[in-house]
Amino acid sequence: MIVLRTVAELRVAVRAARSRGERIGLAPTMGAFHDGHLALMRRAKDECGFAIVSLFVNPAQFSEAADLARYPRDEGRDTVLATATGVDALFAPPDSEVYPRGFTTTVDVGALALPLEGVVRGPEHFRGVATVVTKLLSMAQPDVAFFGQKDAQQTLIIRRLVRDLDLPVRVETCPTVREPDGLAMSSRNALLDAESRRRAPTLWRALSAVRRVVDGGETNPSRALDAGHAILATERIVPEYFAAVSAETLAPLGVLEGEVLIAIAARFGAVRLIDNVLVDARSART
Ligand code: AMP
């Protein structure tokens, strides 16, 4: 696996792969790799002759300086793990390569960035995400880019910007990889203390409870969410949000129908965790 630091080096490697007739795959990440990231990389390598993982902790998407400062970083360990997946290149540019002096352009996707994470993290969060992903897609010019369902709103926003800006890339969504107890893998899990780590899988248990009642035919969103709130209450978890929204538009639903995204965020001390599940409420309307 080669390690690339500049856009110029990346473009040379991509051009060489294309001239060999290979498809280019890109899995953008912020590092501190876990099995969720590794699944994205393996999928990229399975589907593309030349698979790139990018590692860039994007300062523009952090609204709290403390969150950025404590974000886990270990490029040495990440390099070993990425190599083992078989990806061909690790693109790990310095901040100055991504945001050179005088950088001012941003990408704003509008309404999709406003609810859920947008409410809690502010409009700058998804502006930062959309801008850096647009740049990474432009830098690597992949045929296929891989993102996780774990960050459902982010993945939806990326699909939208790719469509709206006519970017010539196919976006693939990979399923959420979980710990054996259901906790969605996240780089932030490493920051949980023992008691928070014990309580954190409650988020998945709450989402699963909602999914069960919707699968059972419940079409009233607040009654469906109540099943999850009951689980959260057993661990005294008060979520930042816990919502049933359209999986396509993220709009709140008066009645659960079609593809529904059940999304949750909660704080465990200083650590914020998010998770979600997709439910098909169509079958409930018979
Ligand atoms: P991050 O490094 O957290 O920005 O994540 C990089 C990519 O990995 C994003 O597309 C995430 O959605 C994806 N990802 C993060 N955690 C998981 C997980 N547990 N399962 C699947 N994909 C994930």
Side-chain angles (χ1 to χ4, degrees), residues 23-30 36-54 87-88 133 136-137 140-151 154-156 158-159 162 169-175:
R23 273 206 308 178
I24 314 297
L26 174 68
T29 79
M30 299 204 300
H37 296 119
L38 302 182
L40 250 54
M41 291 179 223
R42 287 194 204 99
R43 175 104 176 256
K45 188 56 198 171
D46 277 355
E47 294 191 20
C48 302
F50 192 75
I52 306 163
V53 56
S54 65
V87 293
D88 301 280
V133 171
L136 289 167
L137 294 174
Q141 306 190 352
D143 299 286
V144 196
F146 299 85
F147 297 90
Q149 175 62 29
K150 157 80 178 4
D151 298 276
Q154 170 175 293
T155 301
L156 202 61
I158 289 158
R159 284 188 182 280
V162 162
V169 61
R170 193 176 87 228
V171 173
E172 289 286 341
T173 307
C174 303

Side-chain angles (χ1 to χ4, degrees), residues 118-132:
V119 173
V120 184
R121 303 186 70 173
E124 66 273 25
H125 171 63
F126 282 122
R127 198 178 302 131
V129 169
T131 302
V132 84

Side-chain angles (χ1 to χ4, degrees), residues 111-123 125-126 151-154 156-157 240-247 249-252 261-265 272 274-276:
L112 279 182
L114 301 179
L116 306 175
E117 290 295 287
V119 173
V120 184
R121 303 186 70 173
H125 171 63
F126 282 122
D151 298 276
Q153 186 174 13
Q154 170 175 293
L156 202 61
I157 282 171
E240 282 183 338
Y241 62 75
F242 188 28
V245 297
S246 155
T249 64
L250 303 181
L261 180 74
I262 317 290
I264 191 166
R272 252 191 110 240
I274 61 171
D275 199 355
N276 69 83

Side-chain angles (χ1 to χ4, degrees), residues 49-215:
F50 192 75
I52 306 163
V53 56
S54 65
L55 192 178
F56 180 65
V57 182
N58 177 31
Q61 71 189 68
F62 285 81
S63 25
E64 293 171 35
D67 190 26
L68 173 62
R70 86 169 91 84
Y71 200 82
R73 296 162 207 243
D74 188 346
E75 193 186 306
R77 174 179 173 276
D78 286 350
T79 306
V80 172
L81 291 172
T83 304
T85 68
V87 293
D88 301 280
L90 173 74
F91 176 52
D95 287 9
S96 58
E97 184 72 7
V98 180
Y99 299 115
R101 197 188 297 275
F103 182 91
T104 55
T105 304
T106 57
V107 177
D108 192 329
V109 297
L112 279 182
L114 301 179
L116 306 175
E117 290 295 287
V119 173
V120 184
R121 303 186 70 173
E124 66 273 25
H125 171 63
F126 282 122
R127 198 178 302 131
V129 169
T131 302
V132 84
V133 171
T134 303
K135 282 179 66 75
L136 289 167
L137 294 174
S138 163
M139 289 167 173
Q141 306 190 352
D143 299 286
V144 196
F146 299 85
F147 297 90
Q149 175 62 29
K150 157 80 178 4
D151 298 276
Q153 186 174 13
Q154 170 175 293
T155 301
L156 202 61
I157 282 171
I158 289 158
R159 284 188 182 280
R160 175 64 59 88
L161 77 86
V162 162
R163 193 197 73 182
D164 286 356
L165 300 178
D166 303 300
L167 301 183
V169 61
R170 193 176 87 228
V171 173
E172 289 286 341
T173 307
C174 303
T176 302
V177 178
R178 299 181 179 281
E179 299 287 356
D181 60 12
L183 176 63
M185 290 199 180
S186 163
S187 304
R188 290 190 163 88
N189 292 353
L191 304 173
L192 294 168
D193 62 29
E195 175 62 0
S196 297
R197 176 63 188 82
R198 186 192 65 71
R199 295 167 72 229
T202 313
L203 301 186
W204 175 237
R205 292 203 292 124
L207 290 169
S208 303
V210 178
R211 180 171 61 182
R212 262 194 311 277
V213 299
V214 177
D215 282 347

